[in-house]
Amino acid sequence: MPKGTPDWRDFRNLSDIDFDHRYRLLVEAVQDYAIFMLDPAGQVTSWNPGAQRAKGYSPDEIVGKHFSVFYTAEDLAAGKPERLLADAGTHGRAEDEGWRVRKDGSRFWANVVITAVHDESGKLLGFAKITRDMSERRRLEELERAVATSARVQQARENEQKRIARELHDDLGQQITALKMTLALHEAELLPHIRSSAPGLLQSAREISGQVDAMAVAVRRIAADLRPPVLDDLGLEAALEWMTDGFRHRYGVAARCKLPTEELRLNDIAAISLFRVAQEALTNVARHARANTVLVTLSTDGKYCRLQVEDDGVGLPDDCTVRGNAFGLVGMRERMLQLGGVLSIDSRPGNGVSVTAQVPLEKILVEA
Ligand SMILES: Nc1ncnc2c1ncn2[C@@H]1O[C@H](COP(=O)(O)OP(=O)(O)O)[C@@H](O)[C@H]1O
Ligand SMILES: [Mg+2]
């Protein structure tokens, strides 16, 4: 210790023995940090219960071993343990965050601080090493990253669907219309000539015309499923109404839509996300619920926007553990999470399912 630096032991009038005892008690009491000492060569010389808890070795198993056993094969190959010790030796301290290996071979994400310990004459006695298990925080960060990535992927997918829908509608749709008009012209011109000479040909031409009609309908339907134009042209409220009407006609279930009196000016992402939630919820009703009635409600209380899809069907099955390939509910949840909202699912057996998405308005309104 440099001359003139007060030693805090002096202030407390503790004897060295008292101090050592208290110091040991302190280190022994710490459970959340691995605190241990290394000799100058990197062999473990002391080991606290926190270290045992984090790394799995008892003191007998580890004291005397080289601290490189805590490092992964990649870090060993890169010479990381030696480098950290050399850094701590040169600068007095080295810090690192990375994977470490427990006794059982499992990995944990660690924050490590290595501090060089010198005696009064400046001779290196060894190193004090404090390791903290940061796995939880890292998991949280990874989760946040995954949510952000998934939001980007979702957005890219929506954009791509919008593009394909437009191409289908504007390009293929126009071509089919042109084809249909040409066919109609030919049909009119040919009619007097082939009615008697080739009635089979006439029948065939009419069939082709029918097929072209069916193609036009299919293209419109596929494009609208990819991205309903009504959503972009008239907004979420109109799109929900359009979807509910379609559902009623397609499945013969009494589906109704209740909308707020004043139009919500939602941003693009919010509108498509809420639309997709309603779309998935209605698809689930059609596939699983055996319902008689469905109510789609969009409402707001000035602070939150709520979208609810309620059916009176069979309800969720008791063992509704999410299957690996059941992305519907998971996807809805994720979309709401991305908007800073929540999705809740309420189900009473025999009384149907109610899916509610609630999102803070401030995140989803078009900025004025
Ligand atoms: N409205 C509903 N009524 C009854 N069961 C439902 C309803 N919505 C969802 N479920 C149940 O929840 C499960 C998970 O739904 P989801 O994640 O959308 O996956 P998928 O529709 O592909 O099966 C469904 O398989 C079904 O058993
Ligand atoms: Mg589904």
Side-chain angles (χ1 to χ4, degrees):
M1 181 162 311
K3 271 212 163 75
T5 308
D7 181 341
W8 63 271
R9 276 176 284 183
D10 298 341
F11 299 127
R12 286 162 185 77
N13 298 320
L14 295 176
S15 69
D16 277 0
I17 296 171
D18 262 353
F19 174 77
D20 282 351
H21 180 62
R22 288 187 184 211
Y23 169 75
R24 228 188 356 263
L25 284 180
L26 168 71
V27 172
E28 292 288 306
V30 171
Q31 294 273 347
D32 294 335
Y33 294 82
I35 302 177
F36 54 99
M37 300 282 297
L38 305 175
D39 69 13
Q43 321 267 25
V44 177
T45 57
S46 77
W47 196 244
N48 82 330
Q52 178 159 355
R53 197 167 98 155
K55 303 188 192 240
Y57 297 95
S58 66
D60 316 345
E61 291 169 320
I62 197 67
V63 170
K65 296 253 165 62
H66 194 261
F67 85 116
S68 56
V69 294
F70 309 135
Y71 288 77
T72 62
E74 304 91 86
D75 283 349
L76 289 177
K80 192 169 191 182
E82 294 80 11
R83 204 176 61 241
L84 284 173
L85 274 202
D87 274 2
T90 316
H91 306 293
R93 184 177 185 281
E95 186 166 352
D96 181 49
E97 200 160 308
W99 292 112
R100 294 295 183 274
V101 183
R102 297 193 185 93
K103 181 185 162 194
D104 65 7
S106 61
R107 290 179 171 206
F108 66 103
W109 187 260
N111 172 275
V112 177
V113 177
I114 303 177
T115 310
V117 181
H118 298 95
D119 69 7
E120 282 86 352
S121 69
K123 186 171 145 245
L124 181 68
L125 290 179
F127 300 92
K129 202 170 168 220
I130 300 183
T131 302
R132 191 173 173 199
D133 186 341
M134 307 295 279
S135 306
E136 271 315 308
R137 207 190 66 185
R138 186 175 162 88
R139 251 198 293 279
L140 216 65
E141 282 169 2
E142 273 173 357
L143 201 69
E144 279 167 6
R145 250 201 311 278
V147 169
T149 307
S150 130
R152 272 200 298 277
V153 171
Q154 195 94 266
Q155 187 56 37
R157 213 177 125 217
E158 289 294 353
N159 290 343
E160 188 61 4
Q161 286 188 202
K162 194 171 175 177
R163 190 186 65 76
I164 298 171
R166 196 166 288 156
E167 294 267 294
L168 276 176
H169 183 269
D170 294 356
D171 189 334
L172 195 58
Q174 299 303 336
Q175 291 192 46
I176 292 175
T177 307
L179 184 65
K180 170 81 188 152
M181 282 163 72
T182 313
L183 264 177
L185 274 175
H186 287 350
E187 202 183 322
E189 277 178 27
L190 286 175
L191 207 57
H193 308 293
I194 61 173
R195 177 172 278 151
S196 49
S197 60
L201 214 56
L202 187 65
Q203 179 59 23
S204 167
R206 289 201 169 133
E207 274 168 24
I208 291 173
S209 171
Q211 278 165 6
V212 170
D213 281 343
M215 270 166 73
V217 171
V219 165
R220 259 203 307 280
R221 180 178 47 78
I222 294 168
D225 277 351
L226 282 170
R227 177 83 178 200
V230 52
L231 184 66
D232 294 313
D233 299 343
L234 299 173
L236 179 64
E237 287 90 338
L240 288 177
E241 237 161 13
W242 166 81
M243 184 162 52
T244 317
D245 286 349
F247 186 83
R248 195 171 45 240
H249 291 125
R250 227 189 257 188
Y251 300 105
V253 174
R256 280 193 307 125
C257 188
K258 232 167 87 181
L259 299 171
T261 41
E262 252 180 58
E263 194 199 337
L264 287 169
R265 298 188 12 93
L266 300 181
N267 63 38
D268 266 7
I269 297 179
I272 187 68
S273 299
L274 287 166
F275 179 82
R276 294 294 185 210
V277 166
Q279 193 175 38
E280 175 59 32
L282 281 182
T283 306
N284 276 350
V285 173
R287 285 174 68 186
H288 311 293
R290 282 180 271 144
N292 294 314
T293 61
V294 192
L295 179 61
V296 177
T297 313
L298 186 71
S299 61
T300 171
D301 60 2
K303 212 167 166 209
Y304 291 96
C305 168
R306 275 154 54 96
L307 171 73
Q308 191 164 42
V309 179
E310 298 165 89
D311 69 65
D312 64 351
V314 295
L316 289 183
D318 286 338
D319 62 335
C320 192
T321 43
V322 176
R323 296 192 321 273
N325 59 351
F327 289 119
L329 299 178
V330 177
M332 289 191 223
R333 238 194 207 116
E334 210 153 277
R335 280 184 189 274
M336 291 305 102
L337 206 66
Q338 287 156 14
L339 293 182
V342 286
L343 186 97
S344 50
I345 297 161
D346 190 26
S347 164
R348 283 166 305 268
N351 276 318
V353 172
S354 151
V355 174
T356 309
Q358 179 166 302
V359 201
L361 274 179
E362 57 173 20
K363 299 229 173 165
I364 61 169
L365 290 185
V366 175
E367 276 153 39

